[in-house]
Amino acid sequence: MDCIFCKIISKKIPSDIVYEDDNTIAFLDISPVNKGHTLIVPKKHSENLIASEEKDIHESLNVIKKITPAIIKTVKADGWNLGVNNGPAAGQIVKHTHFHIIPRFSNDGLKHWHKKSYAEAESKQIAEAIRKEI
Amino acid sequence: MDCIFCKIISKKIPSDIVYEDDNTIAFLDISPVNKGHTLIVPKKHSENLIASEEKDIHESLNVIKKITPAIIKTVKADGWNLGVNNGPAAGQIVKHTHFHIIPRFSNDGLKHWHKKSYAEAESKQIAEAIRKEI
């Protein structure tokens, strides 16, 4: 399978690994938003978060809780974002589920997306439509 | 406790709820980045992802896997982002752990943060420093 993260997991491609166990690997993003930007990756290949098995992403969350304080301490960050991009329209480039840990600094100038408003009653209609689909 | 999400959970403040069970609630963000922007919230109060108990965030991930396909179908999205902001420097406003599900559309124009490069050997040094802290 021609998956770059599977090749990193099998060590066919080198990476700056910060943590590894039987189920999960974590390595530095080669193109970081900020220094210490780390990817947490379930070793078992699946395309995105919906396709991943619950136990694999639970393991990833446990690793995130375990290693993020060390990342934050090392780069002296003030906060951090967790992000997962699902689908090309959401910025997903590698089709192997992965979590981004992005260290943040009070003065890093990164802007969050602009928030909009709902028209009168629109949010109630959308919530009801979602509930019917669940 | 003066936590707006605890008040939403206890129904002291109304919200557009899309899903609820014993451990988790999901409701529409009142200021959505895109229509259908949903917050998934562990009912048990904790300040951020590191402070949350593993079982509570595992439950949240299970709810995310369960309800996101319904959100995507309802608003006819092309993809979606999962995000968690930890700390004011990372854009966290409400100090009660919550996951953002943001529906994405191929033409929505939302930009991702610019990615940088490491200097020669810098990433190896940072990875080593993180490993020592874990």
Side-chain angles (χ1 to χ4, degrees):
Chain A
M1 190 155 47
D2 193 29
C3 169
I4 191 170
F5 285 176
C6 286
K7 287 176 184 168
I8 285 174
I9 290 162
S10 66
K11 314 290 165 64
K12 286 175 186 158
I13 294 178
S15 67
D16 292 307
I17 296 171
V18 301
Y19 177 85
E20 182 171 15
D21 62 27
D22 288 347
N23 305 306
T24 312
I25 192 167
F27 51 88
L28 296 184
D29 193 313
I30 57 168
S31 301
V33 168
N34 278 327
K35 287 178 186 181
H37 180 165
T38 300
L39 303 180
I40 288 81
V41 183
K43 288 188 174 179
K44 185 173 177 186
H45 182 90
S46 59
E47 191 164 334
N48 57 49
L49 211 52
I50 299 299
S52 291
E53 290 181 28
E54 288 182 358
K55 66 178 177 56
D56 291 325
I57 56 176
H58 293 176
E59 291 281 349
S60 290
L61 261 289
N62 294 353
V63 171
I64 289 164
K65 278 170 65 64
K66 182 186 179 80
I67 74 172
T68 300
I71 297 169
I72 298 308
K73 186 174 179 188
T74 298
V75 300
K76 299 180 175 62
D78 301 309
W80 60 287
N81 295 110
L82 175 69
V84 183
N85 307 329
N86 298 277
Q92 184 178 15
I93 295 166
V94 178
K95 291 183 174 180
H96 181 133
T97 301
H98 56 286
F99 297 79
H100 293 261
I101 292 176
I102 302 177
R104 294 292 304 280
F105 304 89
S106 298
N107 61 351
D108 65 16
L110 298 174
K111 302 295 184 196
H112 286 254
W113 291 328
H114 180 68
K115 303 192 107 187
K116 307 179 185 86
S117 302
Y118 284 112
E120 174 80 15
E122 188 182 19
S123 63
K124 280 189 175 30
Q125 292 162 6
I126 290 174
E128 188 181 350
I130 292 169
R131 289 197 304 272
K132 284 182 182 167
E133 289 289 349
I134 292 173
Chain B
M1 191 155 49
D2 194 30
C3 168
I4 190 168
F5 285 176
C6 286
K7 288 176 183 168
I8 285 174
I9 290 163
S10 66
K11 312 291 164 63
K12 285 174 188 156
I13 294 177
S15 68
D16 292 307
I17 296 171
V18 302
Y19 177 85
E20 183 173 13
D21 63 27
D22 287 348
N23 304 305
T24 311
I25 193 167
F27 51 88
L28 297 185
D29 193 312
I30 58 168
S31 301
V33 169
N34 277 327
K35 287 177 186 182
H37 180 163
T38 300
L39 304 180
I40 288 81
V41 184
K43 288 188 174 179
K44 185 174 177 185
H45 182 89
S46 60
E47 191 163 333
N48 57 49
L49 212 52
I50 299 299
S52 291
E53 290 181 28
E54 289 182 357
K55 67 178 177 55
D56 290 325
I57 57 177
H58 292 176
E59 291 280 350
S60 291
L61 262 290
N62 294 353
V63 171
I64 289 165
K65 281 171 61 65
K66 181 185 179 79
I67 75 172
T68 300
I71 297 168
I72 297 308
K73 186 174 178 188
T74 299
V75 300
K76 298 181 174 61
D78 302 309
W80 59 287
N81 295 109
L82 176 68
V84 182
N85 307 331
N86 296 278
Q92 184 178 15
I93 296 165
V94 178
K95 291 184 175 179
H96 181 133
T97 301
H98 55 287
F99 297 79
H100 293 261
I101 294 176
I102 302 177
R104 295 291 306 277
F105 303 89
S106 298
N107 62 350
D108 65 18
L110 298 175
K111 302 295 183 197
H112 286 255
W113 290 327
H114 179 68
K115 303 191 109 189
K116 308 179 184 86
S117 302
Y118 283 111
E120 175 80 15
E122 189 183 20
S123 63
K124 281 189 176 30
Q125 292 162 5
I126 290 174
E128 188 181 351
I130 293 170
R131 289 196 304 272
K132 283 182 182 168
E133 289 288 349
I134 293 173

